[in-house]
Amino acid sequence: MLRSVGTSRNITTSRRVVAVMRLQGDLPTADKHQRRSGCALLLDAKGVLWATSLLECLTRFCFVISPTLLTNLESCTDAQPRMSATVRNPFQHIVEPLDLNDPKQQFYNLSKLGDPRYARLPFSIRVLLESAVRNCDEFLVKRSDVESILNWKQTQTQTVEVPFRPARVILQDFTGVPAVVDFAAMRDAVTKLGGDPEKINPVCPADLVIDHSIQVDFNRKSDSLHKNQDLEFDRNRERFQFLKWGSKAFKNLRIIPPGSGIVHQVNLEYLARVVFNQDGFFYPDSLVGTDSHTTMIDGLGVLGWGVGGIEAEAVMLGQPISMVLPEVVGYKLSGKPDKFITSTDIVLTVTKHLRQVGVVGKFVEFFGPGVAQLSIADRATIANMCPEYGATAAFFPVDDVSIQYLKQTVLKVCLHFCIYLGREAEKQAYITKYLKAVAMFRDYTDVAQDPDFTTVVELDLTTVVPCCSGPKRPQDRIAVSNMKTDFEACLGAKQGFKGFQVAQKHHNTVVPFHFNGSEYFLSHGSVVIAAITSCTNTSNPSVMLGAGLLAKKAIECGLSVKPYIKTSLSPGSGVVTSYLKESGVMEYLSQLGFEVVGYGCMTCIGNSGPLPVPVVEAITQGELVAAGILSGNRNFEGRVHPNTRANYLASPPLVIAYAIAGTVKIDFENEPIAVNCEGKAIFLRDIWPTREEIQAVERTFVIPSMFKEVYEKIDQKVNKRWEALDAPSDKLYTWDPKSTYIKSPPFFDGLTKKLQPPKSIHDACVLLSLGDSVTTDHISPAGNIARNSSAARYLTNRGLNSRDYNSYGSRRGNDAVMARGTFANIRLFNKFINKQAPQTIHLPTGETMDVFDAAERYQQAGIPLMVLAGKEYGSGSSRDWAAKGPFLLGIMAVVAESYERIHRSNLVGMGVIPLQYLAGDTADSLGLTGRERYTIIMPEQLTPRMIVDVKLDTGKTFQARMRFDTDVELAYFRHGGILNYMIRKMS
């Protein structure tokens, strides 16, 4: 048995030491030290020594560094720990062939565990259990971890930490570029420390889909797609060249080129295996991704969720995720939706409901007969918005509908790391056979299969009504019948999530303007952006064909969309374009201005492009609350476009409907959507397609050959500009000091092998005092770079014109730009200045300045920084730069009432301390103004979620909880972050 004996500092010389060994990772807390002669000492990555018998040492860990004394032991505590052999899996006895006729194809038969608890586990927890059983080595994954998962019913509320090794990782280019930059910089750092740089290499399969770079610069024209793609390549050539280098330099990293589609739809239609068949073993497909909407794949029965970029990098390097075993909320669906209801209406209803229930940090697992009424596309839509309702995962176990989807979709996936020969009948058969063998195949109509849940909530689908969400948050659902009154109420309400604080006398402001030779009028609520966009909806044939059928009926009724409204259609993959064309509805979408503008996220992530100048001038002149309507998943302030203060999420058919109406101030039930040229009033109900109409078209035109044709093109290398792109093939990247896109980050400057003790924070100043729901968009903007920003000044000083600034997202490979873009969102509300602006007060001088400039002045004076925040700090998209940026600004700690899960993890990964007020405490209740100086003394012995004192220069002290939730997170913090930890491991 392993026994902790403290650190190398307190080992007595009376101990007879036979061997000293260094091990990978951190060993768990053990019982008290018992002296015994002839022991071996094991040294873990923290410098903690463990005693065991030499026999156990040799048989379990197999690698003795030296049968020596403890000479210079302290100096070697940070050297690379290694093991040279794999311990036999203690669950080897449950391995058996799936087919007796093919004994080499095996699986871990969890049903043979002989434990009745397994049959009661939620299906999502069974996936975690299988991973633990298959990867159990009594080192990174232990039998005790398996027991903790099996005992989920008791351990779910006990903050029990378990490891999880996902089967693969998926990235998009906004988060993927900085990940590859980090890998390149880590290779440099390992080289400087005398290690082998090629050890920095993905060992977990990874796909990177380039989908975040394209912008809606051109629209409404048949050549918009090609023009936008050309501009995308011209702007991002340097980034793309770097990514192509990465695909050559790193093993197991596959790049899906630009123009292929949105990452989550490509994952759903093309990359998902459902069941892996690799190295002679079957096991469930699972993944983590560097995008919060990775959860979309849960709709197919593949467990996945979003993580921070730095956490994903560790997984790619072979580290398991350390996670607190979650509670699982059972979400029971019953009934059948009305014929006019879309999947978007359902997911917006679910989002509001689960926000009210409170599912942050939990899994949600769907069950009940209503699930059987939903297609995989509908389920994927619901799973996609999991981050919006706050859960970690939103799981739909595999059933017959899942298998039917596999028959419909991709026939071939060929990866660098394995060959998976398709979803044809033979493969579908083993998928079904394996999942049934391990009790992971679901019949939603069989209540006997319903597992135990932490709690159960229910939605009757018959109660769902057409709805939108907004104007500033996705969880703020509004019935379409109430949109007009809700907007009018928001107009005059106090500034907030549901208020714009426009004076009553200005509510009827109308501003005339000229566009293309004609006069038009804008008022509050006028629609200026209408975008069918985002992975949430463009992957769903029912809503996309519904939009097309509505467009057809609208054209036939003589309706149109005003030409100044920026309309766009950005499908999630080429499959969407194929069935829209084949079904004959694409021409009607085009006539309304919804031409295909690109295959990527586009408007949903802020890549909406410029509005016409006369429109911007009219909005500015009248100080109008103009509206954007989009089929996306995020509508936070400042995200969609700087000039659309109100943004609403809606189904694709409703996007077209509001575009035709030209305003969100309309009651579709009682007011006509428009009057045609013949003077006839047309109501929305006159042109709205029924669910049966849509399904009839879908059955005819959404066919397997479309998926095959589209995805075969990726392997056939039809993206000529990508294939022609020249990229170096060296193992170490040659950094260009003149580059404004790709720059070696300073994270590893001065890194040494020797681990330094955690430093306390003395007399820190507060850089920002923030309120509730500060999103990663506020912290790390993804939209265009404002011409008056710190980032713009940096780029201008390097010879760039404003038209070449591109977006923050495209420049995530350059830390100098991203540090200057941190907290640069124009909608950031800082209590210090009591208004929305990307500015703060430099407290020592009282000057108001840009956040970066203030942080730079603090750093020059050697003053550490903190941030005060309210609830849900860091909600929104998973962005590693929302943690990296604050780190580079000199922010050492954040004190908040609560955190979004991924962002808290990212802060830990960068060595920033996430502190949480104790229950009932807030900055206001504690009387904190943010103008105090703060001191946090770090104890020598750190434990997960421990409470520490925060001392103020006023003499006051309050307590806060350090949100290092696991021992592994503490290990990362001690090393200064997860990347430093990995470099020391590899050196």
Side-chain angles (χ1 to χ4, degrees):
M1 173 179 285
L2 292 171
R3 301 182 184 279
S4 173
V5 294
T7 67
S8 57
R9 300 176 190 272
N10 57 21
I11 295 299
T12 62
T13 56
S14 62
R15 175 177 300 281
R16 178 168 164 260
V17 177
V18 178
V20 176
M21 298 165 46
R22 285 172 291 169
L23 303 178
Q24 268 187 348
D26 299 321
L27 294 166
T29 303
D31 51 345
K32 281 187 176 181
H33 161 54
Q34 294 179 356
R35 296 188 180 185
R36 68 171 89 169
S37 61
C39 75
L41 294 182
L42 309 179
L43 180 63
D44 74 5
K46 291 181 187 174
V48 176
L49 289 165
W50 302 79
T52 185
S53 70
L54 180 60
L55 178 61
E56 183 179 18
C57 188
L58 293 173
T59 56
R60 287 180 59 193
F61 302 105
C62 309
F63 182 66
V64 177
I65 291 178
S66 168
T68 64
L69 302 174
L70 290 173
T71 308
N72 298 323
L73 188 58
E74 183 65 25
S75 65
C76 73
T77 57
D78 302 316
Q80 166 58 24
R82 292 179 176 87
M83 288 174 57
S84 65
T86 302
V87 179
R88 178 180 171 85
N89 189 312
F91 295 98
Q92 196 70 27
H93 63 282
I94 66 169
V95 172
E96 61 182 46
L98 185 63
D99 187 339
L100 293 177
N101 295 320
D102 190 3
K104 292 184 179 180
Q105 299 295 314
Q106 301 178 312
F107 73 110
Y108 282 84
N109 191 346
L110 301 185
S111 300
K112 295 293 181 67
L113 287 171
D115 195 316
R117 293 175 296 178
Y118 177 65
R120 303 307 308 157
L121 291 177
F123 283 65
S124 52
I125 299 299
R126 297 179 200 187
V127 178
L128 300 184
L129 178 67
E130 191 283 336
S131 174
V133 167
R134 177 167 39 87
N135 292 292
C136 187
D137 59 1
E138 289 294 2
F139 182 56
L140 291 175
V141 184
K142 299 180 176 293
R143 290 185 71 123
S144 58
D145 297 319
V146 172
E147 171 58 25
S148 292
I149 300 173
L150 266 173
N151 201 33
W152 170 84
K153 194 168 184 179
Q154 279 67 49
T155 55
Q156 59 174 307
T157 58
Q158 297 174 2
T159 319
V160 173
E161 173 193 353
V162 295
F164 175 56
R165 303 192 77 161
R168 57 191 176 98
V169 173
I170 196 163
L171 312 96
Q172 37 90 339
D173 56 303
F174 269 16
T175 51
V177 166
V180 179
V181 166
D182 287 346
F183 267 57
M186 289 170 74
R187 280 193 169 182
D188 292 342
V190 168
T191 301
K192 290 177 183 177
L193 293 179
D196 179 2
E198 289 202 52
K199 286 186 176 179
I200 301 296
N201 198 71
V203 296
C204 179
D207 293 289
L208 191 157
V209 181
I210 300 175
D211 70 343
H212 274 50
S213 300
I214 192 165
Q215 181 172 299
V216 191
D217 289 285
F218 298 94
N219 67 310
R220 284 184 172 260
K221 301 292 185 182
S222 59
D223 60 352
S224 297
L225 171 63
H226 300 297
K227 285 186 174 180
N228 287 330
Q229 287 181 332
D230 286 344
L231 259 182
E232 173 194 24
F233 216 95
D234 291 341
R235 286 174 175 148
N236 296 283
R237 181 182 180 85
E238 192 176 336
R239 294 173 65 243
F240 292 171
Q241 194 170 39
F242 174 71
L243 287 176
K244 196 164 186 181
W245 166 81
S247 68
K248 294 179 180 180
F250 298 108
K251 300 174 183 177
N252 293 343
L253 175 64
R254 186 190 194 199
I255 308 294
I256 306 295
S260 301
I262 299 176
V263 56
H264 307 305
Q265 185 161 346
V266 173
N267 192 22
L268 185 72
E269 295 176 348
Y270 179 53
L271 298 174
R273 282 76 149 178
V274 180
V275 171
F276 260 81
N277 179 8
Q278 190 166 328
D279 300 328
F281 277 90
F282 295 103
Y283 52 94
D285 188 6
S286 61
L287 71 151
V288 291
T290 57
D291 188 285
S292 54
H293 295 103
T294 298
T295 53
M296 183 171 177
I297 201 64
D298 291 344
L300 185 58
V302 176
L303 184 63
W305 62 85
V307 296
I310 45 187
E311 193 174 8
E313 291 168 34
V315 174
M316 291 166 69
L317 290 168
Q319 293 295 295
I321 288 176
S322 180
M323 60 184 294
V324 173
L325 197 60
E327 296 180 14
V328 181
V329 175
Y331 199 90
K332 186 175 182 179
L333 295 176
S334 60
K336 185 177 181 179
D338 181 82
K339 63 181 180 179
F340 293 112
I341 296 303
T342 69
S343 59
T344 314
D345 301 321
I346 296 172
V347 71
L348 295 180
T349 302
V350 169
T351 298
K352 182 176 182 179
H353 186 196
L354 286 177
R355 271 290 176 185
Q356 293 170 336
V357 170
V359 293
V360 173
K362 302 175 185 179
F363 284 3
V364 174
E365 186 168 308
F366 292 85
F367 74 109
V371 177
Q373 303 293 325
L374 303 177
S375 67
I376 291 301
D378 291 339
R379 299 175 193 181
T381 299
I382 295 169
N384 177 281
M385 287 193 70
C386 174
E388 281 66 52
Y389 42 84
T392 299
F395 194 60
F396 289 83
V398 175
D399 68 342
D400 285 324
V401 176
S402 312
I403 300 302
Q404 287 300 120
Y405 181 82
L406 296 182
K407 292 179 181 178
Q408 184 184 45
T409 55
V410 192
L411 295 178
K412 184 177 181 182
V413 178
C414 179
L415 306 175
H416 295 315
F417 40 84
C418 70
I419 302 294
Y420 174 74
L421 292 176
R423 293 175 172 175
E424 62 271 26
E426 179 185 347
K427 307 306 175 186
Q428 293 156 14
Y430 81 60
I431 289 172
T432 303
K433 186 174 183 178
Y434 167 75
L435 292 174
K436 286 185 176 180
V438 293
M440 293 189 194
F441 195 88
R442 192 74 163 91
D443 179 355
Y444 288 101
T445 63
D446 183 1
V447 295
Q449 285 192 11
D450 293 350
D452 293 333
F453 293 112
T454 307
T455 187
V456 171
V457 292
E458 184 171 356
L459 174 67
D460 182 349
L461 293 174
T462 63
T463 65
V464 177
V465 297
C467 56
C468 300
S469 280
K472 301 180 184 182
R473 295 192 304 180
Q475 63 262 42
D476 294 328
R477 184 186 68 90
I478 314 143
V480 170
S481 58
N482 297 330
M483 270 286 282
K484 182 177 182 178
T485 55
D486 187 85
F487 178 82
E488 290 173 341
C490 289
L491 201 59
K494 183 180 178 182
Q495 181 70 39
F497 300 125
K498 296 288 288 185
F500 298 102
Q501 206 162 336
V502 175
Q504 182 66 40
K505 63 181 179 180
H506 297 307
H507 281 201
N508 296 317
T509 298
V510 177
V511 181
F513 70 100
H514 286 82
F515 181 78
N516 289 348
S518 298
E519 186 178 41
Y520 298 94
F521 301 89
L522 288 183
S523 59
H524 294 298
S526 290
V527 173
V528 295
I529 289 178
I532 298 176
T533 182
S534 168
C535 51
T536 305
N537 285 290
T538 62
S539 63
N540 193 326
S542 67
V543 292
M544 296 302 289
L545 288 169
L549 290 173
L550 186 143
K552 179 177 183 294
K553 293 183 178 186
I555 292 295
E556 291 170 348
C557 287
L559 305 184
S560 62
V561 175
K562 294 179 178 63
Y564 62 81
I565 296 177
K566 187 160 191 177
T567 50
S568 61
L569 168 59
S570 49
S573 77
V575 174
V576 179
T577 306
S578 294
Y579 64 65
L580 290 177
K581 287 181 176 179
E582 290 298 316
S583 63
V585 299
M586 189 65 232
E587 62 176 291
Y588 300 102
L589 288 164
S590 298
Q591 288 181 56
L592 289 179
F594 289 89
E595 289 278 4
V596 174
V597 295
Y599 296 97
C601 298
M602 305 189 86
T603 300
C604 188
I605 60 165
N607 287 0
S608 51
L611 288 173
V613 173
V615 172
V616 174
E617 290 175 346
I619 293 171
T620 304
Q621 177 187 334
E623 297 183 346
L624 299 177
V625 180
I629 188 90
L630 65 152
S631 63
N633 47 43
R634 296 277 164 83
N635 56 341
F636 301 125
E637 284 186 282
R639 178 184 178 93
V640 175
H641 194 281
N643 296 113
T644 57
R645 292 170 63 188
N647 295 283
Y648 292 92
L649 307 181
S651 66
L654 277 176
V655 169
I656 295 177
Y658 281 108
I660 294 171
T663 181
V664 296
K665 289 199 301 181
I666 183 171
D667 178 356
F668 281 133
E669 292 186 4
N670 299 303
E671 299 176 54
I673 187 173
V675 177
N676 65 17
C677 58
E678 299 175 355
K680 181 181 179 181
I682 307 297
F683 287 81
L684 181 58
R685 57 179 172 269
D686 298 328
I687 60 175
W688 192 270
T690 67
R691 202 171 177 89
E692 288 74 18
E693 287 179 271
I694 296 168
Q695 289 172 347
V697 177
E698 183 176 350
R699 283 192 297 268
T700 304
F701 294 104
V702 183
I703 54 179
S705 60
M706 288 182 177
F707 294 88
K708 180 180 180 182
E709 180 181 354
V710 167
Y711 285 110
E712 277 184 342
K713 291 179 181 179
I714 291 179
D715 290 333
Q716 291 173 359
K717 304 178 180 179
V718 297
N719 192 317
K720 295 180 181 179
R721 293 196 67 173
W722 175 263
E723 290 307 315
L725 188 63
D726 186 40
S729 56
D730 300 331
K731 297 303 179 184
L732 294 178
Y733 187 70
T734 303
W735 306 95
D736 180 359
K738 297 180 181 179
S739 173
T740 57
Y741 278 103
I742 306 298
K743 178 177 175 291
S744 181
F747 306 135
F748 314 124
D749 292 352
L751 181 66
T752 63
K753 286 187 178 182
K754 186 175 178 62
L755 184 61
Q756 303 298 320
K759 295 180 180 179
S760 297
I761 301 173
H762 294 278
D763 294 323
C765 282
V766 172
L767 181 63
L768 294 156
S769 180
L770 307 171
D772 295 341
S773 294
V774 172
T775 72
T776 51
D777 285 312
H778 292 114
I779 305 169
S780 176
N784 292 326
I785 297 173
R787 296 186 181 186
N788 61 346
S789 65
S790 296
R793 291 193 291 274
Y794 169 84
L795 294 171
T796 299
N797 290 339
R798 278 149 185 77
L800 272 68
N801 296 315
S802 59
R803 66 176 180 272
D804 298 320
Y805 288 167
N806 212 331
S807 65
Y808 281 111
S810 66
R811 293 192 180 274
R812 287 185 182 178
N814 186 315
D815 63 271
V817 173
M818 296 308 295
R820 286 164 173 80
T822 302
F823 295 111
N825 191 310
I826 60 173
R827 301 299 179 195
L828 179 73
F829 188 89
N830 180 8
K831 294 179 183 178
F832 282 162
I833 59 175
N834 201 33
K835 66 177 182 178
Q836 290 183 332
Q839 294 182 317
T840 193
I841 293 176
H842 180 251
L843 297 176
T845 63
E847 295 179 65
T848 299
M849 59 183 66
D850 286 350
V851 173
F852 174 82
D853 297 335
E856 188 174 47
R857 190 176 292 187
Y858 280 120
Q859 286 186 308
Q860 290 169 351
I863 299 173
L865 296 173
M866 293 175 57
V867 169
L868 300 183
K871 300 180 182 69
E872 298 177 348
Y873 181 73
S875 58
S877 301
S878 58
R879 293 188 186 156
D880 54 344
W881 272 110
K884 290 177 178 177
F887 169 82
L888 292 177
L889 294 184
I891 294 170
M892 300 184 70
V894 177
V895 189
E897 292 177 51
S898 64
Y899 292 89
E900 194 277 338
R901 177 186 60 85
I902 299 175
H903 184 62
R904 185 200 61 80
S905 174
N906 278 342
L907 290 174
V908 173
M910 287 308 300
V912 177
I913 303 172
L915 292 168
Q916 186 165 327
Y917 295 109
L918 300 185
D921 285 351
T922 66
D924 290 340
S925 71
L926 293 171
L928 305 180
T929 66
R931 297 175 182 271
E932 307 89 351
R933 300 290 285 266
Y934 293 70
T935 294
I936 305 167
I937 303 298
M938 299 299 292
E940 288 188 15
Q941 298 297 325
L942 298 176
T943 57
R945 300 178 65 86
M946 73 183 300
I947 294 174
V948 295
D949 290 333
V950 181
K951 299 179 180 179
L952 311 182
D953 62 344
T954 60
K956 184 175 182 177
T957 297
F958 69 93
Q959 291 188 316
R961 187 179 302 279
M962 283 201 302
R963 286 295 309 278
F964 301 122
D965 288 356
T966 67
D967 287 324
V968 172
E969 288 186 344
L970 279 174
Y972 294 157
F973 173 70
R974 288 187 180 97
H975 282 264
I978 191 172
L979 300 183
N980 293 358
Y981 174 84
M982 294 305 300
I983 288 172
R984 288 192 175 104
K985 278 192 62 176
M986 298 294 179
S987 299

